[in-house]
Amino acid sequence: MQPHDPRDPHTARYESGYQPGGYPDPGYRAQPAPGGQRPAARSGPEINLGMFAGGVLATAIVTALAAWLCAWIIDVVATRVTESGKLGVWNPMADDGYWFAVVAFLCALLAGVLWYLLHLGTPSPDMFFSWIVGILIAAAVIIPLTLSSDWWVGGSTAIEHLVIGLPIYSLIRAVGAKSIVSP
């Protein structure tokens, strides 16, 4: 191995050492991106949008199926109770199972959009998501119980809303966490 010659332009900068204010000739100058502008730095986390969108869609399907199944179970129980005649005529979910499934699907999609927007613009997005969705679930459960004149209808609707809210609360957060790309 040959010693470094300080007059050799290829090795001179390595021998000079660090000086306050940086190296005298760094040998590299940042080139602007094509078009003359540097790319803008992202302010939020890197999110794999394809994986996130797929997870939100799967969450919407799971939530819709859970809502439909819950409504079907309540309908079956109500039909059996009505057939016995012990509680009179009562069927709070008459043909509402499909409506609850559609609403559940849409709510899950909106929750995915909310999660994404919170990650783009808030300092503690998961905390805000948890609070927002938690308050909405509580309201969706409490409102039918307090406003319904028939407590059977209010109770079954509250159960249905809870069955819609819990998968959205847990699955969107999990899907979102798995979709964040670490640097």
Side-chain angles (χ1 to χ4, degrees), residues 81-178:
V81 168
T82 302
E83 286 174 357
S84 72
K86 292 182 180 178
L87 295 175
V89 179
W90 172 65
N91 191 352
M93 294 290 160
D95 299 325
D96 286 340
Y98 297 113
W99 172 247
F100 278 115
V102 169
V103 169
F105 187 87
L106 295 174
C107 286
L109 293 179
L110 289 174
V113 170
L114 173 67
W115 184 93
Y116 183 73
L117 292 176
L118 287 172
H119 272 74
L120 289 180
T122 60
S124 298
D126 290 324
M127 181 178 61
F128 287 115
F129 181 82
S130 297
W131 272 96
I132 291 169
V133 174
I135 290 170
L136 289 174
I137 291 171
V141 169
I142 293 169
I143 288 172
L145 291 173
T146 58
L147 295 182
S148 180
S149 60
D150 183 6
W151 72 276
W152 289 99
V153 174
S156 63
T157 305
I159 291 169
E160 186 69 37
H161 290 173
L162 187 63
V163 167
I164 291 171
L166 291 179
I168 290 172
Y169 179 80
S170 62
L171 291 176
I172 293 292
R173 289 177 39 196
V175 164
K178 291 288 187 177

